[in-house]
Amino acid sequence: MISLRAYDAIVIGGGPAGLPAAIELASCGAKVAMIDREDRLGGQLTKQTHMFFGSQSQRAGTRGVDIAGILAKEALEKGVEVYLGATVLGYYDDRVIAVEKDERFIKMKATAYVVATGASEKMLAFPNNDLPGVYGAGAIQTLMNVHGVMPGKRALMVGAGNIGLIISYQLVQAGVEVAAIVEAAPRIGGYWVHASKVRRLGIPVLTSHTVTQVHGTDAVERVTVARVDDSWSPVPGTERDFDVDVVGLAVGLSPLTELLWQAGCAMRFVPALGGHVPVRNENLETSVDGLFVAGDVAGVEEASSAMLEGRLAGLAAALKLGRGSVTGVMKAMEEARLELESLRAGPVGDKIRKGLEALAREAMAS
Amino acid sequence: MRITHHPILEFQRGRKVRFTFDGREMEGYEGEPIAAALHAAGVRVLRHSPKLNRPRGFFCAIGNCSSCLMKVDGVPNVRVCVERLREGMQVQTQVGKGDLLESV
């Protein structure tokens, strides 16, 4: 017989969204478990060597990898019970989850859940995209920044959003040459601070370009890129080749929502948020009572907003549980909401604002 | 290839261990993913796909995509991007779907 481990709250995913959620919950006196598939906490933060910006409360000036360490330490100090190398396999109607750890099942139950499972990388269709040497951008980051191994000698990056730009200069930091960055859109999508770093390194950014084919027998040896027209079709005669052994795909992320589907959360398809995302209220509670979401699983954005959403979801879950002082929790929630709003203000937050508006409209319509 | 100098990061590596790849003696660091050790040694083809026999390598690095399935100590379909390296492991290129009964 498998015994049931009971908690006030369980946070699924120990990255930039999950950690603050667990910290807030535990600070309010809740008994909290946190589950993560990896062997260390921090999620994608552990691979980020760049300094964050924004305001002081958003940990500006600190590198992602260091933020991971700070948050993980805080969570442990607050008494969060952490399960590492553990995968949540299923969510059941009676608020029970099944977890696999060390090839054993653990059954757990909680009154509130915060799902912060993040996102996975999107693929791009072109001939030979399955050859060794074509990597998801995150894989390159993991290989270099966690394991200290170079992915190859010379790389071409696909995508000039923040991830494509950041990984390009991380490749150079690791000693890998970057031949070019291609971006199908007519302009660079990432922050100028990252684009400027890449330009200072002399890496050409080819906007309105895409990969049309990869060549090689056992692994990537060469890549063909071409200009695209207004309808994203390659323009014949504009092809050119780069001799590279690495092609990195940074073409977007989609939310990892399997558990939300299984839990029966109302979902809507919102392309600006990365795909199917959960309908939720202003406290990040989904249509399933007591099930909260935070970070990329709720809509692909970035780590600073994920941390704020985590805080908000954690506080809202604590309020639901009746933990902490009501006025204190509500004041902190209001602060987190305002910070999120200011983070999403301005042209950079345009896409996410439109996405959230579309989600609200979609949710109302049905 | 290993990164020897990095402007920001320092890598905490385990002790050196020996393992074999398709019978060839290799070295890696204990606890790192098998795929990282292979990659550092220049091995990029980890298996051949079941239908079209196409070479497959390391793709997602976090155990999501199943591109890197290999035979480890006789057991097929091991995700070597997340399986940790230990002394004396026998790592083999996997061809096709892998047969569990073979490893019994």
Side-chain angles (χ1 to χ4, degrees), chain A residues 39 128 130 135 150 245, chain B residues 1 3 39 44 54 84:
Chain A
D39 291 327
N128 285 333
D130 61 340
Y135 306 93
M150 291 182 214
D245 55 358
Chain B
M1 269 193 303
I3 300 168
H39 216 295
R44 305 241 273 174
R54 296 193 39 101
R84 292 164 172 276

Side-chain angles (χ1 to χ4, degrees), chain A residues 122 251-255 268-277 296 298-301 351-352 354-356 358-359 361-362:
Chain A
K122 285 183 179 163
V251 292
L253 300 163
S254 19
R268 294 290 182 276
F269 184 73
V270 182
L273 299 180
H276 277 98
V277 290
D296 278 358
V300 172
E301 208 173 340
K351 188 177 168 191
I352 194 83
K354 287 199 171 120
L356 291 171
L359 175 62
R361 267 199 314 275
E362 288 277 320

Side-chain angles (χ1 to χ4, degrees), chain B residues 1-56:
Chain B
M1 269 193 303
R2 303 270 176 192
I3 300 168
T4 44
H5 300 289
H6 196 284
I8 294 159
L9 298 170
E10 265 182 61
F11 301 104
Q12 314 284 326
R13 291 179 173 130
R15 65 175 180 116
K16 266 199 177 160
V17 292
R18 285 142 86 84
F19 69 103
T20 64
F21 165 65
D22 287 345
R24 263 161 65 198
E25 282 273 340
M26 296 217 157
E27 265 187 353
Y29 294 99
E30 188 171 53
E32 70 180 347
I34 296 169
L38 288 173
H39 216 295
V43 176
R44 305 241 273 174
V45 180
L46 307 176
R47 71 169 173 122
H48 293 275
S49 67
K51 262 195 187 164
L52 301 174
N53 198 33
R54 296 193 39 101
R56 288 284 157 81

Side-chain angles (χ1 to χ4, degrees), chain A residues 196-231:
Chain A
S196 310
K197 280 194 206 174
V198 158
R199 293 309 297 265
R200 283 199 296 275
L201 292 168
I203 301 169
V205 182
L206 307 174
T207 50
S208 297
H209 275 71
T210 192
V211 172
T212 57
Q213 191 171 353
V214 160
H215 312 267
T217 350
D218 271 345
V220 175
E221 291 162 20
R222 193 159 49 87
V223 57
T224 304
V225 308
R227 197 156 56 76
V228 292
D229 61 22
D230 293 342
S231 61

Side-chain angles (χ1 to χ4, degrees), chain A:
Chain A
M1 173 96 187
I2 304 173
S3 64
L4 187 70
R5 302 188 191 181
Y7 296 93
D8 293 326
I10 295 176
V11 179
I12 303 171
L19 281 167
I23 291 168
E24 293 298 343
L25 274 158
S27 303
C28 292
K31 187 186 177 199
V32 187
M34 165 167 259
I35 304 167
D36 196 276
R37 182 167 74 167
E38 297 293 318
D39 291 327
R40 67 167 168 172
L41 288 174
Q44 301 312 304
L45 285 174
T46 59
K47 301 159 193 179
Q48 296 178 1
T49 53
H50 64 281
M51 290 182 189
F52 279 50
F53 35 87
S55 71
Q56 207 54 47
S57 68
Q58 291 155 18
R59 303 184 189 272
T62 310
R63 297 184 195 281
V65 55
D66 299 327
I67 297 174
I70 294 165
L71 292 177
K73 187 165 167 270
E74 198 178 339
L76 290 169
E77 282 169 0
K78 301 270 185 204
V80 174
E81 208 173 309
V82 176
Y83 293 84
L84 291 177
T87 309
V88 178
L89 303 173
Y91 179 98
Y92 300 94
D93 285 344
D94 48 3
R95 295 188 173 272
V96 169
I97 56 169
V99 180
E100 183 269 335
K101 182 175 162 62
D102 302 325
E103 302 194 352
R104 288 188 176 274
F105 277 112
I106 308 171
K107 266 202 312 186
M108 296 188 197
K109 188 174 178 153
T111 312
Y113 282 91
V114 178
V115 175
T117 43
S120 69
E121 290 183 302
K122 285 183 179 163
M123 191 63 192
L124 195 63
F126 53 82
N128 285 333
N129 68 357
D130 61 340
L131 271 187
V134 176
Y135 306 93
I140 294 179
Q141 222 178 15
T142 309
L143 191 64
M144 294 190 306
N145 298 351
V146 181
H147 307 304
V149 173
M150 291 182 214
K153 293 190 177 72
R154 192 163 191 254
L156 180 106
M157 282 301 301
V158 185
N162 282 324
I163 297 178
L165 296 170
I166 289 169
I167 290 175
S168 294
Y169 66 75
Q170 289 181 355
L171 277 159
V172 175
Q173 283 175 338
V176 181
E177 191 189 339
V178 180
I181 303 171
V182 297
E183 166 59 58
R187 60 188 67 82
I188 291 171
Y191 292 145
W192 286 107
V193 58
H194 297 310
S196 310
K197 280 194 206 174
V198 158
R199 293 309 297 265
R200 283 199 296 275
L201 292 168
I203 301 169
V205 182
L206 307 174
T207 50
S208 297
H209 275 71
T210 192
V211 172
T212 57
Q213 191 171 353
V214 160
H215 312 267
T217 350
D218 271 345
V220 175
E221 291 162 20
R222 193 159 49 87
V223 57
T224 304
V225 308
R227 197 156 56 76
V228 292
D229 61 22
D230 293 342
S231 61
W232 311 99
S233 304
V235 180
T238 63
E239 295 88 358
R240 58 166 142 165
D241 283 6
F242 290 91
D243 289 321
V244 294
D245 55 358
V246 173
V247 172
L249 301 179
V251 292
L253 300 163
S254 19
L256 275 171
T257 51
E258 290 89 342
L259 280 173
L260 302 178
W261 285 103
Q262 203 196 8
C265 295
M267 306 290 287
R268 294 290 182 276
F269 184 73
V270 182
L273 299 180
H276 277 98
V277 290
V279 173
R280 69 282 196 154
N281 66 17
E282 62 161 9
N283 294 337
L284 296 168
E285 188 172 9
T286 66
S287 63
V288 173
D289 185 53
L291 198 161
F292 297 79
V293 286
D296 278 358
V297 74
V300 172
E301 208 173 340
E302 43 76 54
S304 302
S305 55
M307 289 190 275
L308 284 168
E309 282 198 344
R311 233 167 81 198
L312 179 57
L315 288 161
L319 193 67
K320 185 117 198 167
L321 290 166
R323 300 282 178 165
S325 99
V326 175
T327 46
V329 169
M330 287 185 61
K331 187 165 164 279
M333 283 168 66
E334 189 53 27
E335 280 167 13
R337 264 195 298 266
L338 285 174
E339 267 194 69
L340 263 173
E341 227 169 84
S342 79
L343 199 66
R344 289 168 179 160
V348 181
D350 198 43
K351 188 177 168 191
I352 194 83
R353 286 200 310 272
K354 287 199 171 120
L356 291 171
E357 282 162 22
L359 175 62
R361 267 199 314 275
E362 288 277 320
M364 289 284 273
S366 45

